[in-house]
Amino acid sequence: MSIIDTLLQSGDPAPVGVENPGGASPILFVSDHAGVAIPAALGTLGLDATQLARHIAYDIGIYGVTTRLARALDAAYVFQPYSRLVIDCNRRPGMAQSIMTESDGTVVPGNRGLSEAAIAARQSEILAPYHDEILATLDAREARGLPTVLFAMHSCTPIFGGEPEPRPWDIGILADKDWRIGDPLIALLEDESDLCVGRNQPYSVNAESDYTIPQHAEGRGLPYVEIEIRQDLIGDEAGQRRWATLLADVFPRAVAASGVLAA
């Protein structure tokens, strides 16, 4: 990477996206891996279009689902437009997985041999503004006396690495210490659909591997849940509409059933 004053230049997308910031819903949606943008200064990170369309670059379909949910529920939505290959906004700065040199068998040439200054630029210009926006949104809601339930929206590949079989879960419901939202959400999905629902599957949430939930939800005692939808189910607009319709019905009822808004 060439030495430049700043990483992001004129014409690059902003480092954070916000939709419906004044939403009245207690639900705040966030997506750490919504976008596939790469700063022009980084080219394509040495990858071709096929590689950049894979799950290694972003959470396929999750923006399409969540922007529809935000509109349907009148909820605010904060999302990261840049590819997780530039910097993973759900990893603490300095972690090995923050800027991946190889992801699911694909070498990322543009992430190899980075200088400390190049790493710091990605942290300060992409990761920090995104988390600052989430923090500011939460602070503003708290100042107005508005309750907040954080929904961290993700999607997962149906086949990862050397796994011998496709993942069976249509949707994963993830949490660490706080299952106030997760438990009633799992119950509703299992009772009212034929979906295969995973509890902390295919991933789990913890302070060592994750950043957004530990930092913004468990760190300040907010009720939350993390969602993983299988990407082959939301890879097109029809699937995104179908899942947004389902979840727009189920999410508010899970929040109501949890009792977190009763206080």
Side-chain angles (χ1 to χ4, degrees):
M1 180 177 127
S2 61
I3 298 174
I4 53 178
D5 291 334
T6 60
L7 173 62
L8 299 184
Q9 304 291 306
S10 176
D12 282 330
V16 58
V18 182
E19 295 186 3
N20 198 28
S25 172
I27 293 175
L28 171 63
F29 290 112
V30 299
S31 292
D32 304 323
H33 310 135
V36 73
I38 299 174
L42 303 182
T44 65
L45 296 172
L47 302 176
D48 62 30
T50 299
Q51 293 165 326
L52 291 174
R54 293 179 59 216
H55 70 93
I56 62 172
Y58 73 120
D59 279 0
I60 295 167
I62 203 61
Y63 174 79
V65 172
T66 311
T67 195
R68 288 174 170 84
L69 276 170
R71 288 196 298 265
L73 298 179
D74 190 21
Y77 179 30
V78 179
F79 62 93
Q80 176 50 255
Y82 282 94
S83 171
R84 66 192 302 167
L85 293 176
V86 178
I87 188 165
D88 192 326
C89 286
N90 194 31
R91 298 293 182 266
R92 292 186 180 278
M95 288 184 62
Q97 291 184 319
S98 174
I99 300 176
M100 298 285 283
T101 57
E102 183 175 333
S103 182
D104 196 13
T106 296
V107 173
V108 186
N111 287 348
R112 295 202 156 190
L114 295 181
S115 67
E116 290 185 7
I119 293 170
R122 299 191 195 190
Q123 293 172 348
S124 64
E125 296 186 47
I126 295 177
L127 182 140
Y130 171 70
H131 285 285
D132 287 348
E133 183 65 38
I134 297 174
L135 178 62
T137 300
L138 293 174
D139 286 347
R141 293 181 65 87
E142 184 177 354
R144 294 168 59 196
L146 300 176
T148 301
V149 179
L150 190 66
F151 275 66
M153 302 295 292
H154 294 261
S155 69
C156 57
T157 179
I159 299 177
F160 183 81
E163 293 174 350
E165 300 290 338
R167 291 164 166 173
W169 308 284
D170 300 306
I171 183 171
I173 309 302
L174 283 54
D176 187 6
K177 302 178 180 67
D178 185 351
W179 282 90
R180 288 177 290 173
I181 306 298
D183 282 339
L185 180 54
I186 290 173
L188 281 168
L189 289 169
E190 290 183 337
D191 289 346
E192 299 183 9
S193 77
D194 58 0
L195 297 173
C196 181
V197 182
R199 179 186 174 94
N200 273 351
Q201 295 288 355
Y203 306 112
S204 59
V205 179
N206 61 73
E208 288 71 39
S209 64
D210 298 87
Y211 190 45
T212 298
I213 288 299
Q215 182 80 3
H216 298 294
E218 291 199 331
R220 60 196 295 164
L222 286 179
Y224 71 89
V225 67
E226 185 165 320
I227 304 296
E228 293 275 359
I229 306 172
R230 213 174 66 205
Q231 290 169 354
D232 58 325
L233 303 177
I234 56 172
D236 58 23
E237 288 195 11
Q240 293 161 21
R241 287 194 299 269
R242 185 162 53 249
W243 275 84
T245 298
L246 167 67
L247 298 179
D249 172 62
V250 175
F251 280 178
R253 290 196 288 133
V255 173
S258 73
V260 299
L261 303 180

